[in-house]
């Protein structure tokens, strides 16, 4: 029987939105990995991009703005046998949720985090986001443009201890799907930052903008096991912007080190006091 | 009632808590009921610290009033606590450190100088050994055999061979010194009470109750006075198979617990008011996604950072208002260590039965103080059933409605990993299937109706919970001249006050509202309408439970006893107020 | 009352808001009072969107009931909105897009097919130009001269030369087409109302009121429906010398505002319920450090993310409970765009006078809908005084007590940078000088007393604020058969309902509780005790203001009209309920 | 007249706590810079370290756990003529407050942030902090020890765009004072991470632990203008741990770019509508 990953809910993004590319690539990745849909949980926050779980027929949790990663952490720690993919926007993950994102990375939970980075707040109709370009005029920066330096999510991820750090572009769903496959397969926290243009509110960082700038790291012989080389690549911004796998490392996952999970996923374990233990003994 | 209270005081770092807890343990080992109350500062070293250990062959519920033995490690202890010594009591101190004048203690109180440092120096050079001496002194004064103290010391210091030997010798020296120079107190307890008691703090009881009810996941961020829940569970995580996750903050803690619960396990988070304030947004999400969740909120003196080491019941209004919009929630306010165990277990059951968040509202007083208990106070619970309650439909079945509108408001719940039951849990308004209303359907007449129905469905749970739970009952005399009304830890000193009032010939009883929400308004009105007189008693400024009762029933409280200085109620304060309100002069 | 209502509907991206707002502008230009109500979805493109523009020579307060012109850009608009067409009304649509059957409109409603696309195509190929045609049609139907529309289009499209010319031609074509094929409506407005009106949203009024009251610092994180406050202020930041800071989240937003206020400037943050939930902890800190703070909380349908583009008054309980412990706060609930201006300005005054946080509770309905106003509705305020009110003591002066215990509870406030007045603002409990009680002094009797005094000092402000502010007053008939009670934006449809009731021969009035906290309980009791009958009317599930009134006074509300489906009240709904409650059958 | 910076409130830290060194170094820095005490604002969160403002007789704001940086941001943006120094713990600044810290860095506000990094939660009696060493047994990790990788605050600061990134050690108050002087003088966000041992709860990362490991970057000819070199140095951890100035860059501060501050500190500007503007005009 053919496995269906998409739900019957039509995506509600604007025509041409970069997020369609992410949806397509994610479907390709699920297919390639032959994941049973009921073993996938898509977790998101709030934003245009965060509506993504509704367009898939997997389990989904569409939570609060900026709090997708902690919810996903709880799900994964309760049941590590699930494939947990977090999806959301740049505001969600690098703005209000930045702290959670980075703490999850150092924990090295086996999560895959796809950030649909459009350098703008889409759903709230176009304010500056943490990745907005210096000088960009938005509804919250109408006079001077943005006057704070954008975050560098890949450099931060690298510094925070993420063990898989990659960048894709909605204009190249094949490369993205490939990175997602690798990211999901990777045992540990995988960040896939995606240039996913907002065609409605961001007229600066457009498909054309990125298309004319991106190049693939593999084409320049980048060594993804070298953190310093990776850091140097994350600083490249301007006429040439690298995509692909920046960094990858092997490190035990948090779940592997958590003793309470030795006997398998928590929902399948028995609950209550173990029969051979008198929990009150120590209180005498 | 026969009882004995020891108070020990000194500077942080003097080992005050160890002395106090050891004495509490000694009491429960000997079969006495005990209560241990601690007073400390929000710094790690320095500042005045004390501990009151009270014991009795009968049930006691609080630290009581005053003490019989004051073991003062510094001069400040004498200044602050000597006035609380009761007639027949004794002040123990080391004259090498400071001197005490006879008029520094109340009448009929003796002064017993003990050369603790000098005696200790025989066995080791560390001044901390003085407490070994002190504990021996106290044991003797309390009329307890040295062997019990030695047994406890051997257990707690067992691994530290030389230290143990020193402590055994020092305590023996103290014991002998007291016997020689004083004997036992008039109030000394008998050599043995009943069968040995458990000694437990509210937080330990909460942790135990949670595990008994099936807890598999705790995510918490440290905050006094909730922190020791995590400490205890972390230490037992492996043997009880519980994931204990210290989160990066309270926002993460609650969202992680919601995630774990969504994935199918009983999950909890615990914090104090300031941390709960950070959980407010996600608290509402648990209700909207209909995810069971237990939150322990152990209150301390506010507002804001307030007095981190002092108690208060000032957060009820925050808990009841927590999160935007309207949704069903349950708030429980246990009134003893045993209730903390039982109500926490009940919280898990309610959360799961009604798929909504439940708050266990404790406070510093209940969470951190220790009480002696009988084993029967903590009933064994049946092993929790598995959560996989929804049968898996044949492959591809599409009829599953996660948010089906049912008469109870509760819908069949699936767990990620179950085949064919995939759904989205969303914080946006959604229809029965989980499909969003907010995205493209809001305001369309049919979906305006869906929105109304989903609100009705969720809110309907409240009356179901009210019906399914027991209304509060009266404790104490019936009929009574006066009915006290309170919630949470206030029950503890109130129970001791009821006993004192009985002794004074006043028939009083207490309506313990252990479930402030949903309130059993009608039952409460019935009780209070037939009460001769009422007295609202709360550990806060504005009588928050009283406001809830008034809002629900229209019934008002002309008389109130409200305390908001950070100290718990003392039973005698309550007695005095009752005397005043019932028109008696307090003698 | 003479009035005309246009409704326009279509898919997001069809330019619905532009048509609606242009028509509102046309009305106010012509001297009519107007009200513009928008219905939209929580996605950027797609989903059904509509706008109701209502005008009258007399004051109107809401979107009213039904419409006279329905300009339908798609079939769904006909399905959803045709039933709201009033007798004498007309449905305008383009037969090229879809067809309409006569039985799709109510009786006595005409159908006017207009080839908008075809007419538009003469001037440009973009389908959006159809709205130029549509606006011309509507102008003609409303009986308004084309020149006014052309004036408005010229202003708004001025910079886009070719586009302007196309729109002018298209609207002229539409105007002519309507004149030829229909003429003006029976209900058409006169050619001119009074003097031109201002057209303003609640959020713009809030922003204006804030600047008028001296706002110098706004920190905000975007959240519907509060976002446009930031948009407007950001656009005017340079000319009004206001720092507008988009924060990384709401936790930062409120803490930044507190920091700026501490530094001596009038500061504000604005958000909706979900964002306010994140501000809860810092909200209490503002009160504890006695830092003035204004928070705008524009409510939307909850719980949780809820319906982000729909209205509700569901957050009062959250606002009143926000933050652990107890402290003075003020909650204002303005009931019109003009009140939004005045109450925001008052909020700044109260925050500064009483050094405590003040919430302006708006909602999507008030914040985003636009209303026509007279200039006199927005009084000019005196230039705010400087905050440097504490005289600088001679070098080295040490006697300054930042938290001096005064009869009002308000203490003299110094600003960083002032010489010799250095102090610590602390979220922990502190004494009059700002020294911490929590660190090494808690529980010491003298400091238990300090704690109590500091609580009393802060809480004392509440009664001061109550005395210093005006109790709510009745609007409408006096005497009356029935007194409606509400707060915030509900006042708007209620005011229109009062007029309708008068027309029906029912004498009704309205107690507008524009200051839900501190509540003027006694004054309210006085009014309501003498009312023949009361009706609590709120845009929420549980009657939150009613609960506050009951909690404060014991007074209960047997009759309530509560709505929680996301749509605002329609005046006629209120009329119907009043008819029912007063025992009439609604005719 | 002698300027006094210390208040009459005795510090309440445990005897031997590393924070005494920070207090001393800060006083030395204020003296060296001859700052008028009433023009200094010390802002802190909650923690042992966060009690610091009470021990100085400057203006002080002792706010909420993790929220010191936003309060300081508000103060600085309202009145840039003040010297605003943020002080707090590793939990406060790198745990609960991590997001705020990093966003403030990319904004490049002219703040100086001293983090008393003791690799533990002190005030709450010894739980793991975000900088706790892997394997460290604490009250919250009593069985397995810490199983998540510690944050690397300096790498994160570098990646977030801090323009002054330094590390000091309480055992060397002179070096610390010197770095603080530079940090306060620096126009832009200055992070001074300080190894400030908790003698009560952290028996791993002690004075001796650090004393035997630290070396000074200036002694190895490190170039603080090279971000990649700085990044490489931030990765050094183990037997040798660098202190000193890792990185410094010049970039306009946020305050400099904010137009509303052109006319000086806000409290000194006039408020209300400018007399020549009719704010209602646009609403007709
Ligand atoms: C606590 C909270 N604050 C604010 C919002 C409003 N909000 C919704 S989405 C969003 C930002 C969306 O930006 P991003 O995460 O980049 O997603 P995008 O829409 O661009 O895909 C905001 C601020 C919210 N829902 N919750
Ligand atoms: C919102 C909130 N959560 C938790 C706490 C409790 N708390 C106080 S200090 C602290 C951590 C202190 O650690 P750190 O910041 O490293 O400072 P240190 O005491 O080690 O100097 C915590 C968790 C709090 N005050 N507020
Ligand atoms: S607003 Fe932007 S991000 Fe949102 S759906 Fe439209 S194009 Fe995509
Ligand atoms: S507990 Fe640790 S950090 Fe806190 S004062 Fe003591 S030594 Fe310093
Ligand atoms: Mg975005
Ligand atoms: Mg620390």
């Amino acid at each position: 029987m053919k496995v269906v990953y998409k739900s019957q809910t039509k995506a509600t993004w604007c025509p041409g939105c970069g997020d369609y590319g992410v949806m397509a690539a994610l479907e390709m990745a699920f297919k390639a990995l032959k994941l049973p849909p009921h073993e996938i949980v898509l977790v998101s926050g709030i934003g245009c991009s965060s509506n993504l779980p509704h367009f898939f027929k997997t389990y989904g949790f569409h939570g609060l703005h900026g709090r997708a990663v902690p919810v996903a952490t709880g799900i994964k720690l309760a049941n590590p046998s699930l494939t947990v993919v977090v999806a959301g926007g740049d505001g969600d993950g690098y703005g209000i949720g930045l702290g959670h994102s980075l703490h999850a990375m150092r924990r090295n939970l086996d999560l895959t985090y796809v950030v649909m980075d459009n350098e703008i707040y889409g759903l709230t109709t176009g304010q500056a986001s943490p990745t907005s370009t210096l000088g960009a005029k938005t509804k919250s920066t109408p006079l001077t443009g943005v006057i704070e330096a954008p975050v560098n999510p890949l450099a931060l991820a690298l510094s925070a201890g993420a063990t898989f750090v990659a960048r894709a572009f909605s204009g190249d769903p094949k490369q993205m799907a490939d990175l997602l496959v690798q990211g999901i397969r990777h045992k540990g926290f995988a960040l896939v930052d995606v240039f996913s243009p907002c065609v409605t509110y961001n007229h600066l960082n457009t498909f054309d903008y990125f298309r004319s700038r991106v190049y693939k790291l593999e084409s320049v012989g980048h060594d993804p096991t070298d953190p310093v080389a990776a850091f140097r690549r994350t600083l490249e911004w301007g006429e040439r912007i690298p995509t692909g796998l920046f960094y990858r490392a092997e490190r035990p996952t948090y779940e592997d080190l958590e003793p309470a999970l030795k006997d398998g996923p928590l929902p399948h374990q028995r609950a209550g006091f173990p029969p051979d233990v008198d929990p009150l003994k120590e209180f005498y | 009632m026969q009882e004995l209270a020891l108070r020990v005081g000194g500077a942080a770092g003097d080992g005050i808590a160890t002395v106090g807890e050891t004495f509490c343990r000694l009491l429960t080992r000997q079969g006495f009921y005990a209560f241990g109350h601690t007073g400390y500062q929000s710094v790690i070293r320095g500042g005045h610290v004390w501990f009151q250990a009270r014991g009795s062959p009968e049930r006691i519920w609080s630290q009581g009033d005053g003490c019989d033995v004051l073991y003062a490690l510094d001069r400040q202890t004498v200044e602050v606590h000597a006035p609380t010594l009761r007639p027949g009591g004794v002040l123990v101190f080391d004259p090498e450190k400071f001197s005490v004048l006879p008029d520094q203690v109340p009448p009929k109180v003796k002064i017993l100088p003990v050369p603790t440092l000098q005696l200790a120096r025989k066995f080791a050079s560390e001044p901390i050994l003085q407490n070994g001496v002190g504990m021996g002194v106290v044991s003797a004064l309390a009329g307890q055999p040295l062997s019990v103290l030695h047994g406890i010391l051997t257990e707690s210091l067992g691994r530290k061979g030389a230290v143990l030997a020193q402590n055994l010798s020092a305590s023996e020296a103290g014991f002998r010194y007291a016997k020689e120079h004083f004997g036992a107190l008039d109030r000394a307890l008998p050599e043995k009470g009943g069968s040995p008691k458990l000694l437990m703090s509210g937080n330990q009881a909460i942790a135990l109750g949670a595990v008994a009810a099936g807890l598999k996941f705790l995510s918490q961020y440290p905050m006094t006075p909730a922190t020791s829940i995590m400490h205890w569970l972390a230490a037992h995580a492996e043997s009880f198979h519980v994931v204990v996750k210290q989160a990066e903050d309270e926002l993460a803690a609650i969202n992680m617990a919601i995630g774990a619960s969504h994935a199918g396990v009983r999950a909890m988070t615990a914090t104090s008011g300031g941390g709960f304030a950070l959980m407010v947004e996600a608290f509402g999400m648990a209700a909207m996604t209909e995810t069971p969740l237990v939150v322990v909120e152990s209150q301390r003196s506010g507002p804001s950072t307030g007095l981190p080491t002092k108690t208060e019941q000032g957060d009820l209004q925050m808990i009841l208002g927590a999160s935007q919009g309207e949704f069903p929630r349950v708030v429980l306010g246990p009134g003893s260590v045993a209730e903390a165990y039982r109500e926490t277990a009940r919280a898990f059951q309610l959360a799961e039965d009604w798929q909504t968040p439940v708050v266990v509202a404790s406070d510093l007083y209940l969470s951190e103080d220790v009480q002696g208990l009988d084993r029967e106070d903590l009933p064994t619970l049946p092993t929790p059933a598995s959560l996989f309650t929804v049968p898996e439909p044949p492959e591809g079945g599409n009829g599953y409605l996660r948010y089906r509108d049912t008469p109870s408001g509760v819908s069949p719940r699936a767990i990620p990993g179950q085949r064919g039951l995939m759904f989205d849990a969303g914080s946006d308004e959604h229809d029965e299937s989980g499909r969003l209303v907010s995205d493209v359907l809001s305001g369309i007449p049919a979906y305006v109706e869906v929105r109304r129905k989903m609100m009705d469905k969720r809110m309907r749970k409240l009356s179901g919970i009210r019906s399914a739970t027991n209304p509060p009952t009266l404790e104490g005399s019936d009929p009574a001249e006066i009915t006290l009304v309170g919630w949470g830890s206030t029950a503890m000193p109130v129970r001791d006050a009821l006993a004192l009032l009985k002794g004074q010939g006043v028939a009083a009883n207490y309506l313990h509202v252990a479930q402030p929400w949903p309130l059993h308004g009608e039952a409460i009105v019935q009780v209070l309408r037939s009460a001769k007189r009422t007295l609202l008693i709360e550990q806060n400024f504005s009588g928050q439970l009283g406001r809830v009762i008034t809002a629900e029933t229209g019934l008002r409280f002309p008389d109130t006893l409200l305390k908001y200085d950070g100290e718990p109620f003392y039973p005698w304060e309550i007695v005095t107020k009752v005397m005043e309100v019932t028109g008696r002069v307090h003698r």
Side-chain angles (χ1 to χ4, degrees), chain B residues 331-378:
Chain B
V331 185
L332 306 178
S336 71
V337 170
E339 277 184 51
Y341 171 89
R342 295 195 301 260
E343 293 292 286
T344 303
R346 191 162 76 91
F348 278 89
Q349 200 58 50
L350 287 170
E352 198 165 300
D353 287 351
W354 299 94
Q355 299 180 17
T356 212
V358 179
V359 176
V360 178
S362 179
D363 55 28
L364 187 132
Y365 181 45
L366 172 59
S367 279
E368 298 201 335
D369 281 0
V370 290
Q371 203 179 353
L373 303 174
D374 289 314
R375 187 172 269 265
E376 300 74 56
D377 293 332
L378 309 181

Side-chain angles (χ1 to χ4, degrees), chain A residues 27-63:
Chain A
E27 191 189 15
M28 284 157 65
F30 289 159
K31 277 189 183 145
L33 290 162
K34 297 197 170 61
L35 294 171
H38 66 280
E39 291 178 2
I40 301 171
V41 189
L42 286 171
V43 183
S44 70
I46 299 290
C48 292
S49 42
S50 288
N51 282 344
L52 181 127
H54 293 278
F55 313 140
F56 282 86
K57 196 161 172 54
T58 62
Y59 283 93
F61 196 103
H62 180 202

Side-chain angles (χ1 to χ4, degrees), chain B residues 159-497:
Chain B
R159 276 169 305 174
K160 314 175 190 165
V163 177
L164 172 63
Q166 291 161 3
N167 271 277
L168 294 180
S169 309
S171 57
E172 185 171 351
F175 189 87
R176 296 211 169 161
Y177 189 94
K179 285 279 183 219
E180 272 165 39
H181 294 81
F182 193 92
L185 279 176
D186 298 345
R187 279 191 189 247
L189 293 167
E191 262 231 6
K192 186 92 182 119
S195 59
K197 307 288 175 252
L198 299 154
L199 184 69
M200 197 179 281
S201 71
N203 276 352
Q204 290 169 330
I206 287 168
L208 274 169
V211 178
L215 178 80
K216 299 296 289 180
F217 187 92
L218 174 87
S219 42
Q220 184 171 340
Y221 188 73
M223 184 161 195
T224 308
T227 311
S228 55
I229 296 172
M230 174 168 68
H231 290 172
W232 193 86
L233 285 169
H236 295 77
E238 221 168 320
S239 47
F240 295 164
H241 289 259
V242 175
V243 168
V244 174
K245 180 79 206 80
Q246 180 181 335
E248 62 269 30
D249 59 23
E250 288 89 352
L251 297 137
I254 188 170
N255 279 285
M256 285 177 186
I258 291 170
S261 177
H262 178 76
V265 300
R266 288 177 182 84
M268 176 168 100
T269 184
T271 185
S272 184
F276 187 78
L278 295 175
M279 296 183 177
V280 164
E281 191 195 11
F283 188 75
M285 174 175 74
M288 187 58 149
T289 58
E290 307 197 36
T291 309
L293 176 70
V294 174
V295 182
V296 178
E297 212 276 49
S298 185
Q299 303 158 91
R300 66 190 208 190
S301 297
S304 204
T305 310
L307 291 170
T309 62
K310 293 293 157 188
T311 198
E312 195 167 277
Q313 299 183 297
D315 300 353
L316 182 59
Q317 198 167 322
M318 170 170 67
I319 296 167
L320 289 173
S323 216
Q324 67 274 22
E326 290 156 299
F327 53 85
R329 75 190 79 198
V330 182
V331 185
L332 306 178
S336 71
V337 170
E339 277 184 51
Y341 171 89
R342 295 195 301 260
E343 293 292 286
T344 303
R346 191 162 76 91
F348 278 89
Q349 200 58 50
L350 287 170
E352 198 165 300
D353 287 351
W354 299 94
Q355 299 180 17
T356 212
V358 179
V359 176
V360 178
S362 179
D363 55 28
L364 187 132
Y365 181 45
L366 172 59
S367 279
E368 298 201 335
D369 281 0
V370 290
Q371 203 179 353
L373 303 174
D374 289 314
R375 187 172 269 265
E376 300 74 56
D377 293 332
L378 309 181
T380 311
L381 300 172
T383 306
S386 161
L387 290 172
F388 287 81
T389 48
V390 182
E392 306 197 2
E395 185 74 39
N398 259 320
Y400 173 60
L401 296 177
R402 167 65 186 95
Y403 297 109
R404 197 164 72 216
D405 190 2
T406 63
S408 67
V410 179
S411 318
R413 179 168 166 231
I415 303 298
Q418 285 187 297
R419 210 178 285 274
L421 299 176
M422 289 83 78
F423 70 95
D424 288 312
S427 66
D428 281 71
E429 188 59 282
H430 42 258
D431 67 10
E432 292 181 76
S433 76
R435 183 178 180 201
L436 295 191
V437 170
S438 50
D439 255 22
V440 293
L441 302 169
S442 72
I444 309 289
Y447 283 87
V448 172
E449 193 53 26
V450 166
R451 151 71 178 175
R452 214 183 43 66
K453 277 199 175 151
M454 295 305 284
M455 275 295 283
D456 288 340
K457 164 193 151 48
R458 289 186 297 264
M459 293 306 281
R460 198 180 301 142
K461 296 180 186 178
L462 260 188
S463 52
I465 297 168
R466 195 183 286 111
S467 310
T469 50
N470 293 326
T473 49
L474 280 170
E475 304 178 22
S477 312
D478 194 13
E481 272 183 69
I482 184 166
T483 298
L484 281 64
V485 182
W487 67 289
S489 72
T490 303
M492 305 198 293
V494 165
R495 288 184 185 122
D496 278 346

